[in-house]
Amino acid sequence: MTTAPTPVPTSTAADLSGGGGTPGTATPASPAAPTANRRRKAGTRAWLGALPLMVFFAVGFGLPAIAIAIGAFTTSSDAPNGGGTFTLSNLTASLQGGYLTALLGSIKLSALTALVGTVLGLPLAQAVATSRWRFVREAVQSGSGVLANFGGVPLAFMFVATLGNAGEVTTGLGLKKYGWSLYTFDGLAVVYLYFLIPLMILTITPALEGLRVQWREAAANNGATTFQYWRHVALPVLLPSLLGGYVLLFGASFAAYATAEAMVGSSIPLISMQIGDALSGNVLVGQGNLALALGLDMIVVACLVMAIYLPLQRRSAKWLS
Amino acid sequence: MGASLWFSVDDYHGGVTFNAYTKLLGAPGFLDALYLSLELAAATVVVLLLVLVPALLAARLGAPRLRPVVEVMCSLPLVVPVVALTTGIVGVLRWGPDHFANSPLFQTFVAIQNPSFPVVLLVAYVLMALPFAYRALDGGLRGVDVVTLVEAARNCGASYPRAVFSVVLPNLRSALLSASVLTVALVLGEFTTASILGFQPFSVWINSYGKTDGQMSVAVSMISLLVVWVVLLLMSVVGNRGRKAARS
């Protein structure tokens, strides 16, 4: 190792020696030129370090995105007049009839389950966050992580075993008499809640931990009841996080596929199910690109959701840091 | 308190007898599906770390302007629903027979869909795990002053690779570990892409098999959830202990 100067002294040296090292003022031997060179080289090397990620991203994410963008607006290759001509019919078809019902059904289910998940998740997260036993906190946190990310198929089967037509609880309590069925909109909503509530707990806990004890003490010293503290202090501070959590839950519920597929197949109209069907070939000849148009619809909705979420998250981060 | 714990980790096991567990190992396709899932999980972790760690380090050490670029790249997969991503992948795969049928590229399209080790799934999984792994690693990097560490190592005469491998990476051990475990959990549980593309890893196998043998599917589901949960729990306990030891 010959020379390895730290950036701080050399950068001041570069500044002192007449800035920028233009060819007129600095001779090639002056310290400015090699420093600038080295720094530029470090910059390029850094970009080289990111190169694998960029290449991977371009292939893994860019190509599918292009495929959707092109496919959604062109006729598919098995169409009668050949593939590749520009058309809007995929997109209009994807917003009509059964597909529109499915899209609206998905939105309705997501909005409802996200609302219930937010309302139920908040007190549960509060109970967990203020728990005195660290082990309980960690057990619930990691358990939530498992259910929220890993849930899917296993969760669906457990529900079938529990509340399905021959499920333990269904037969045990005779729920069928009251018109209960797991394979309906409501049943699906109940199952969705089992991965949405853990997700809410995961999202809202950092915000709850950010609530200062002093705020509560100050409120108590001023004679506020617990209700008043929550109404006037805690909830207003938490509001952006809560809304953000709601939006995130909406997104998760909207994108969910595994649970519904394992449980009800495509008997309940949901956009993700429709896409799955379209991709497995259950569509008319010549409409192969319909699935891509449906995917585009979904991405548009998801982007709208994110456009609401990101600013909210930034606002709550400002308060609770 | 107890109710909330019960609620969030509750898994009502229905009529499970041990019979279902013992039958499990002999079930057709069980081991194949499990191997495929484990192989995919391992490969995903390796590729993910190889791709992500250099980029994150580069963004910290060399070019601050890289940071927003990396962040956007790692957050975008979160925005696009998995089903939609899958449609895109199917669209790309269709290009193979449509446009490249007579070119050498066609062999590539066939190779990446090899059912015994589908590279397509690997790519999709790395993309899906990117946001979570990024969060974990970024959090870890935030706790470590990488720039100072590398400079110190360089001043002591270490080369760049040496500084990264023997100084920076050991400091990031817990972040690397949690990123890997999250990824493994995600790959083992992933269903959407694999089932639409027609491959059969563990989760798809549970689904198809569970429709014929309900009891066993519940048994498998129980085990898989419990195992992942225990692993995550152990990790958080070990991670905490490490942090405490470092502080004292």
Side-chain angles (χ1 to χ4, degrees):
Chain A
M1 231 31 244
T2 49
T3 50
T6 56
V8 182
T10 47
S11 71
T12 48
D15 288 340
L16 288 174
S17 69
T22 48
T25 56
T27 58
S30 90
T35 312
N37 257 343
R38 200 179 303 130
R39 224 183 299 150
R40 206 174 306 133
K41 218 191 283 168
T44 8
R45 221 184 292 144
W47 284 90
L48 272 183
L51 198 64
L53 179 67
M54 289 174 176
V55 171
F56 177 84
F57 196 76
V59 173
F61 194 82
L63 285 185
I66 293 171
I68 291 183
I70 295 177
F73 292 105
T74 52
T75 53
S76 48
S77 53
D78 51 352
N81 54 351
T85 40
F86 175 80
T87 176
L88 282 175
S89 65
N90 292 321
L91 221 51
T92 44
S94 78
L95 291 173
Q96 272 170 7
Y99 296 112
L100 183 65
T101 320
L103 183 61
L104 293 179
S106 265
I107 292 178
K108 195 173 121 195
L109 181 66
S110 313
L112 178 76
T113 50
L115 183 66
V116 180
T118 312
V119 171
L120 292 182
L122 178 64
L124 284 173
Q126 169 70 10
V128 173
T130 53
S131 150
R132 261 173 298 151
W133 299 293
R134 218 194 69 202
F135 181 77
V136 171
R137 276 206 305 272
E138 272 166 15
V140 174
Q141 286 274 324
S142 54
S144 302
V146 173
L147 283 180
N149 293 320
F150 184 72
V153 179
L155 206 58
F157 280 126
M158 282 176 195
F159 266 91
V160 171
T162 311
L163 289 164
N165 277 339
E168 297 286 302
V169 177
T170 319
T171 43
L173 297 179
L175 284 175
K176 253 185 219 164
K177 272 184 297 196
Y178 306 105
W180 166 258
S181 166
L182 187 63
Y183 313 103
T184 57
F185 187 86
D186 295 335
L188 202 56
V190 171
V191 181
Y192 272 29
L193 282 179
Y194 262 72
F195 66 84
L196 290 178
I197 291 178
L199 188 59
M200 190 65 195
I201 294 182
L202 283 183
T203 349
I204 202 77
T205 304
L208 284 172
E209 279 166 356
L211 287 179
R212 310 274 154 77
V213 186
Q214 290 93 318
W215 295 347
R216 180 189 282 269
E217 284 165 359
N221 284 343
N222 288 328
T225 59
T226 310
F227 174 78
Q228 278 169 328
Y229 162 71
W230 277 98
R231 165 78 187 75
H232 294 288
V233 181
L235 279 182
V237 171
L238 285 179
L239 196 62
S241 313
L242 276 177
L243 286 176
Y246 175 82
V247 171
L248 200 67
L249 258 56
F250 181 93
S253 169
F254 188 68
Y257 173 84
T259 316
E261 156 68 23
M263 237 178 63
V264 296
S266 44
S267 59
I268 294 178
L270 291 177
I271 181 107
S272 48
M273 299 288 101
Q274 299 280 359
I275 293 182
D277 273 3
L279 287 177
S280 347
N282 300 342
V283 285
L284 302 170
V285 175
Q287 297 212 319
N289 281 353
L290 188 62
L292 295 173
L294 286 170
L296 189 64
D297 292 347
M298 242 182 134
I299 293 175
V300 169
V301 173
C303 283
L304 288 178
V305 163
M306 274 295 148
I308 306 172
Y309 173 62
L310 291 178
L312 282 176
Q313 202 202 21
R314 212 160 293 145
R315 251 192 79 187
S316 69
K318 197 167 60 188
W319 260 102
L320 296 165
S321 61
Chain B
M1 217 7 269
S4 70
L5 172 68
W6 185 234
F7 199 87
S8 61
V9 297
D10 183 10
D11 28 46
Y12 291 117
H13 42 107
V16 180
T17 64
F18 286 104
N19 196 8
Y21 292 88
T22 49
K23 259 200 317 192
L24 189 66
L25 284 173
F30 168 72
L31 284 179
D32 289 343
L34 191 60
Y35 279 142
L36 178 59
S37 270
L38 291 179
E39 269 172 24
L40 275 174
T44 307
V45 169
V46 171
V47 174
L48 183 73
L49 293 184
L50 279 182
V51 163
L52 192 57
V53 173
L56 278 177
L57 284 180
R60 288 267 156 180
L61 292 172
R65 263 181 306 161
L66 254 178
R67 278 184 70 180
V69 180
V70 172
E71 191 177 342
V72 166
M73 276 198 286
C74 293
S75 313
L76 269 181
L78 208 57
V79 180
V80 176
V82 177
V83 188
L85 177 68
T86 313
T87 54
I89 294 176
V90 172
V92 172
L93 291 181
R94 223 185 279 147
W95 289 350
D98 281 3
H99 302 296
F100 301 112
N102 297 317
S103 73
L105 217 58
F106 187 64
Q107 288 310 315
T108 322
F109 275 95
V110 176
I112 59 173
Q113 293 182 70
N114 177 5
S116 63
F117 189 77
V119 180
V120 193
L121 278 189
L122 179 64
V123 172
Y125 288 168
V126 174
L127 267 183
M128 280 178 228
L130 212 50
F132 304 102
Y134 171 77
R135 289 279 152 78
L137 285 176
D138 194 53
L141 276 171
R142 209 164 281 170
V144 183
D145 192 352
V146 191
V147 180
T148 314
L149 274 182
V150 169
E151 263 165 31
R154 298 272 288 152
N155 284 345
C156 292
S159 64
Y160 240 109
R162 180 118 198 256
V164 167
F165 275 104
S166 50
V167 178
V168 175
L169 289 188
N171 271 301
L172 289 177
R173 211 180 315 146
S174 75
L176 289 171
L177 194 66
S178 74
S180 314
V181 168
L182 278 178
T183 310
V184 170
L186 189 129
V187 172
L188 290 185
E190 207 285 330
F191 173 78
T192 315
T193 310
S195 102
I196 291 181
L197 293 181
F199 298 109
Q200 200 168 51
F202 195 48
S203 53
V204 180
W205 180 84
I206 297 185
N207 184 35
S208 58
Y209 202 73
K211 284 182 173 157
T212 59
D213 187 338
Q215 210 175 42
M216 197 186 301
S217 73
V218 177
V220 179
S221 309
M222 283 273 305
I223 295 176
S224 53
L225 279 182
L226 275 179
V227 165
V228 178
W229 180 55
V230 167
V231 169
L232 286 184
L233 191 60
L234 278 180
M235 266 193 42
S236 75
V237 170
V238 170
N240 268 348
R241 202 163 292 154
R243 218 177 298 146
K244 214 173 273 167
R247 215 179 294 141
S248 63

